[in-house]
Amino acid sequence: MSMSRLIFDIETVGADFESFDATTQEYLLSSAKTPEEQDLVRDRMGFSPLTGEIVAISILNPDTHKGATFFQAPESNLEPYTKDDVQYVPSTEKEILQRFWDAARYYDQFITFNGRAFDAPFVIVRSAVHSVHPTRDLMPNRYSGEGHVDLFDRLSFFGAVRKTMSLHMWCQAFGIASSKADGVTGDDVARLFMEKKYTDIAEYCFRDVVATAELFKIWETYMQPPRR
């Protein structure tokens, strides 16, 4: 019996550094020795669920090719829309998480690129912040592959390959259209969010899951031994 599978990816932004109390600011800057290092700390706030938030989650069923993106669009009049058969739904962060978990309950296996180290923990922690209950285990046994296939893990053979590569690099190697091809990268998300270019973030996020789906197809077809 085949498993139902879902690919997902998130985009995040950091909170305003000045919104934190003095103790937190002091802690965050404790290892920064220069003004440049302090600026780097402020720029990387979106890498932790304690100092950042989710602004988009994209999901894609690789077998039916149906997908959606739930994204933040504060202080805007954006309405849900469909583009290339993908649903885009403006939501608050709490609503994004609720919609994700509502969809996730119908799937047995989750597929990501670096999702065990970033996306899944971020989703779980931010859900707890909003008192949103998970419906599936996104962090099962790392090596079984039954519940979560993290292609970052698999393609590096769980760290045996010392030089790890980005999703963009893997896409380049296999001739897959990269999500970065349209000129947007993860480094642009915070700026785009400040500029209220919410749909740019949403559509970039979905391009990431499309690229991950294509990479998963290659991994599953050519890098796995035949099933007995």
Side-chain angles (χ1 to χ4, degrees), residues 93-99 101-102 123-135:
E93 186 187 32
K94 182 173 183 177
E95 290 168 344
I96 288 172
L97 293 163
Q98 289 171 328
R99 295 179 195 279
W101 289 117
D102 284 346
V123 166
I124 293 166
V125 173
R126 293 307 299 174
S127 295
V129 167
H130 290 290
S131 302
V132 175
H133 293 280
T135 60

Side-chain angles (χ1 to χ4, degrees), residues 49-64:
L50 303 184
T51 58
E53 61 183 294
I54 295 170
V55 294
I57 295 181
S58 290
I59 57 175
L60 174 65
N61 182 321
D63 302 307
T64 66

Side-chain angles (χ1 to χ4, degrees), residues 16 21 36 42 49 64 82 126 131 150 158 180 192 207:
D16 180 0
D21 61 81
E36 291 76 17
R42 292 182 172 90
T64 66
T82 300
R126 293 307 299 174
S131 302
D150 184 341
F158 297 99
K180 281 69 174 172
L192 292 171
R207 291 197 297 273

Side-chain angles (χ1 to χ4, degrees), residues 26-186:
E26 182 180 357
Y27 173 78
L28 292 171
L29 295 176
S30 59
S31 60
K33 307 302 182 184
T34 66
E36 291 76 17
E37 290 177 346
Q38 292 180 1
D39 288 341
L40 187 61
V41 169
R42 292 182 172 90
D43 290 341
R44 296 175 66 87
M45 303 285 275
F47 290 137
S48 168
L50 303 184
T51 58
E53 61 183 294
I54 295 170
V55 294
I57 295 181
S58 290
I59 57 175
L60 174 65
N61 182 321
D63 302 307
T64 66
H65 306 291
K66 293 185 181 298
T69 297
F70 315 120
F71 66 102
Q72 286 201 51
E75 300 178 2
S76 73
N77 297 318
L78 282 174
E79 297 288 337
Y81 68 98
T82 300
K83 181 177 180 180
D84 298 327
D85 294 326
V86 180
Q87 294 180 323
Y88 292 90
V89 184
S91 313
T92 64
E93 186 187 32
K94 182 173 183 177
E95 290 168 344
I96 288 172
L97 293 163
Q98 289 171 328
R99 295 179 195 279
F100 169 78
W101 289 117
D102 284 346
R105 71 172 72 245
Y106 299 104
Y107 293 90
D108 305 311
Q109 186 182 65
F110 300 92
I111 301 155
T112 64
F113 187 90
N114 203 33
R116 291 187 65 89
F118 184 70
D119 304 71
F122 214 110
V123 166
I124 293 166
V125 173
R126 293 307 299 174
S127 295
V129 167
H130 290 290
S131 302
V132 175
H133 293 280
T135 60
R136 283 290 185 268
D137 182 6
L138 301 182
M139 295 289 283
N141 184 287
R142 181 183 184 189
Y143 302 100
S144 72
E146 292 298 319
H148 187 165
V149 174
D150 184 341
L151 291 172
F152 183 85
D153 271 352
R154 301 284 162 168
L155 294 170
S156 68
F157 299 91
F158 297 99
V161 178
R162 295 184 181 181
K163 179 64 174 178
T164 58
M165 293 292 183
S166 66
L167 177 60
H168 176 76
M169 292 295 293
W170 283 105
C171 289
Q172 291 290 297
F174 289 112
I176 297 169
S178 170
S179 55
K180 281 69 174 172
D182 287 353
V184 177
T185 73

